[in-house]
Amino acid sequence: MSPKNVIFKKTCKDKSVGVFMGKRDFVDRVDSVDPVDGVILIDPEALAGRKVFVTLSCTFRYGRDDMDVMGIAFRRELYLATRQVYPPLQDRDKAVHTRVQAKLLRKLGNNAYPFFFEFPDNLPCSVALQPGPHDVGKQCAVEFEIKAFSAESQDAKVRKRSTVKLMLRKVQYAPEGQEVAPSVEITKDFVMSDKPLHVQATLDKELYYHGEPIKVHVNVTNDSNKNIKNIILSVDQVANVVLYSNDNYSKCVDIEESGDSVSAGAKLQKVYTLLPLLANNRERRGIALDGKLKHEDTNLASSSVVKEGVLKEVMGIMVSYKVMVKLIVGGEVGLEVPFRLMHPKPDAGIVEMEEEMVFEEFKRSYLKGIVGGDDDEEEGNVSGGDDMTPREK
C-alpha cells in the first residue's frame, strides 16, 4: 500500500473560501523556520465579486476574551501578515510552488490559488499554561493561526460566515549533538562541626527527550557531625511569562522522597531515576504545555531555545527545567542541576513523500453537544483521497 500524505481542509460557512494545507506543525530550527504554505480554493459564484485574503498571525493570550476590562483585551498580537490571494497579484503558473502546493493546484483546478508566508526569526514557539479543572474559556497561550476570508477590501468588515480559521503550531526539536553532562556540587559548613558536608549531583546527559527517564547520580560525603534524615529529588519546570509581567511559575512535575539517610561521618553513592510526564500532572493549573491543536493530546512544554541576539522579552513564555536535590539536615541543603527536555528530530525522509493524499476535513457539525463549541472550534475526520473539492449541500 502506498504512503499517504494527510491534507488538512476547512471551508467557511458560505462556501466561498476553503483552506488546504499539507501540515500544521512548522519547525523552528533556531536559525530558520519552516515556511507556511497552502492553497485557497474559491467559489467565484459565492464570492459575488469580493476579494480573498489570507493572514498569518501570532497572538499571546493572557486572559479570556470575556474578561476584557474597559475595552482592553487580555491579548497581544505579536505578528500579523496579510496576502491577497484572489484576484491574484501575479501569474499563478509562473510562481514557484512547493511540491504539495503543485499537486494540490493540479487536483483542485483553476479556482485554486497558492499562498506563502515566512516566519520572522523573533517569534516564540507554541506554548500554553494548563488551566485548572474548573477553568473555562481561552487559556494563557502563544497561538498561531491561518485565517482566510472574503471581503470587498482588506480593511472592510469581514463576515464570520465568510471566514475560515486553522490553528497552527510552531515547534522546536532537539538540536544535533549533546552538551557536556551537567554536574553541580556544594560544600556546607555547620556551626559546631569541624568538617563540612559535601554533595555532588550529576546527570548522565544534558538533553533528554519527552518520556525518557532522567538518572541522577548523587554523591554525599558527610564529614560533619550532622545526620541527614532524608534525600528528596524533584524535577521543576520554570515557566517565565516574559512578555507582560516577567512572572515566574515554578512547578514540580516529578518528585521522589527516597527516605535515604546518611549518618555523621558516612558516605552515600546512589543513582535515582525521575520521569516527568504530563500524565501525572493533568489536574495541575499553570503547568506549561507544548501548544496543541484542538482535541489532540500534548505533553509538558519543551525547553525554550532562543536565537542569539533575539530579545527574550518578546518570546511570550520561556520554559526551562532543573533537577532539585534536597538533603534534610535539620533545615535543608539543596542544589539544582539544569537540563533540557525536548522532542527528538523526526525522520526528514517521511516529509518528502508525495504519494496518495488523504484529506482531513474539519466540519462544525461534529461539534454539536461539545461544551463551548463555536465557529472557531475544530474537529477533524479523514475523508477519501479523491474528494478534493468542498462538498455542496
Side-chain angles (χ1 to χ4, degrees):
M1 187 174 178
S2 62
K4 292 180 173 64
N5 281 350
V6 172
I7 301 295
F8 300 98
K9 165 189 173 183
K10 195 175 182 184
T11 308
C12 65
K13 275 188 174 182
D14 67 7
K15 304 295 184 182
S16 62
V17 179
V19 176
F20 294 75
M21 298 188 69
K23 60 181 180 180
R24 301 173 72 189
D25 285 347
F26 297 87
V27 180
D28 181 349
R29 297 178 175 81
V30 181
D31 57 347
S32 66
V33 185
D34 289 348
V36 177
D37 63 279
V39 169
I40 298 295
L41 183 65
I42 67 162
D43 182 338
E45 185 177 339
L47 281 178
R50 289 170 296 173
K51 298 178 180 180
V52 177
F53 302 90
V54 181
T55 65
L56 171 64
S57 63
C58 173
T59 303
F60 178 66
R61 186 187 302 275
Y62 47 98
R64 303 197 309 269
D65 288 340
D66 60 5
M67 290 174 60
D68 292 358
V69 178
M70 298 179 64
I72 302 174
F74 281 82
R75 62 177 185 171
R76 178 174 168 183
E77 206 162 68
L78 303 181
Y79 178 74
L80 178 67
T82 304
R83 304 278 188 270
Q84 179 177 316
V85 176
Y86 178 83
L89 301 180
Q90 61 177 332
D91 192 320
R92 189 186 81 160
D93 297 329
K94 292 182 180 179
V96 177
H97 304 134
T98 64
R99 295 177 66 184
V100 172
Q101 278 181 325
K103 188 164 187 181
L104 281 170
L105 291 172
R106 289 195 301 269
K107 290 281 189 179
L108 295 174
N110 294 331
N111 288 330
Y113 298 89
F115 65 85
F116 187 89
F117 293 93
E118 288 189 295
F119 284 108
D121 61 4
N122 61 344
L123 291 181
C125 286
S126 300
V127 63
L129 297 185
Q130 180 168 256
H134 304 296
D135 290 346
V136 296
K138 300 284 188 178
Q139 57 193 356
C140 178
V142 174
E143 298 175 331
F144 291 85
E145 180 183 77
I146 279 286
K147 180 174 76 172
F149 61 94
S150 60
E152 284 71 24
S153 68
Q154 180 178 331
D155 300 322
K157 185 176 181 180
V158 180
R159 299 183 303 176
K160 196 170 185 179
R161 62 183 292 104
S162 301
T163 303
V164 56
K165 300 177 181 179
L166 202 58
M167 298 297 294
L168 309 178
R169 279 189 297 204
K170 182 167 171 277
V171 298
Q172 284 181 327
Y173 294 119
E176 301 290 342
Q178 283 273 359
E179 301 288 338
V180 177
S183 180
V184 177
E185 54 186 307
I186 186 173
T187 299
K188 176 71 174 178
D189 292 305
F190 297 97
V191 178
M192 306 297 291
S193 177
D194 294 334
K195 294 183 179 181
L197 164 67
H198 184 80
V199 186
Q200 183 180 35
T202 305
L203 307 184
D204 49 2
K205 55 184 180 177
E206 184 266 343
L207 175 62
Y208 290 87
Y209 297 146
H210 290 283
E212 184 178 7
I214 299 170
K215 295 192 179 298
V216 188
H217 302 257
V218 177
N219 189 346
V220 179
T221 302
N222 187 13
D223 291 329
S224 73
N225 58 7
K226 303 287 185 180
N227 293 321
I228 298 171
K229 302 174 183 178
N230 194 6
I231 299 177
I232 303 172
L233 296 93
S234 65
V235 173
D236 283 12
Q237 179 199 73
V238 181
N240 187 6
V241 184
V242 296
L243 189 62
Y244 72 98
S245 64
N246 213 29
D247 289 343
N248 269 310
Y249 298 90
S250 184
K251 301 285 185 178
C252 173
V253 291
D254 192 37
I255 189 168
E256 179 182 344
E257 296 199 26
S258 68
D260 291 335
S261 60
V262 185
S263 57
K267 296 182 178 182
L268 173 72
Q269 286 186 332
K270 188 171 179 179
V271 179
Y272 300 90
T273 301
L274 297 168
L275 183 58
L277 293 172
L278 175 58
N280 302 326
N281 294 278
R282 287 197 183 277
E283 301 298 318
R284 302 189 57 211
R285 187 176 188 271
I287 287 181
L289 313 177
D290 274 345
K292 69 173 182 175
L293 304 175
K294 290 181 175 68
H295 314 304
E296 291 186 9
D297 205 357
T298 185
N299 48 262
L300 296 173
S302 298
S303 299
S304 302
V305 181
V306 181
K307 182 178 179 179
E308 187 175 350
V310 172
L311 291 175
K312 293 183 178 181
E313 287 74 14
V314 301
M315 298 308 291
I317 302 173
M318 300 284 294
V319 179
S320 60
Y321 290 89
K322 57 188 177 182
V323 168
M324 302 288 293
V325 181
K326 295 179 182 178
L327 282 68
I328 308 303
V329 196
E332 282 187 5
V333 175
L335 47 82
E336 51 189 64
V337 189
F339 69 96
R340 287 183 294 172
L341 184 64
M342 302 186 76
H343 284 292
K345 186 177 179 180
D347 184 358
I350 298 176
V351 180
E352 297 300 323
M353 291 181 179
E354 193 189 6
E355 303 298 332
E356 182 185 351
M357 290 181 171
V358 173
F359 285 73
E360 185 167 338
E361 184 175 2
F362 296 89
K363 298 180 179 180
R364 295 177 181 84
S365 60
Y366 287 92
L367 288 166
K368 291 179 180 178
I370 294 179
V371 176
D374 58 29
D375 288 342
D376 294 335
E377 297 292 326
E378 297 176 357
E379 180 73 13
N381 71 298
V382 177
S383 59
D386 295 330
D387 182 11
M388 302 296 296
T389 56
R391 297 176 179 175
E392 297 293 338
K393 290 187 177 180

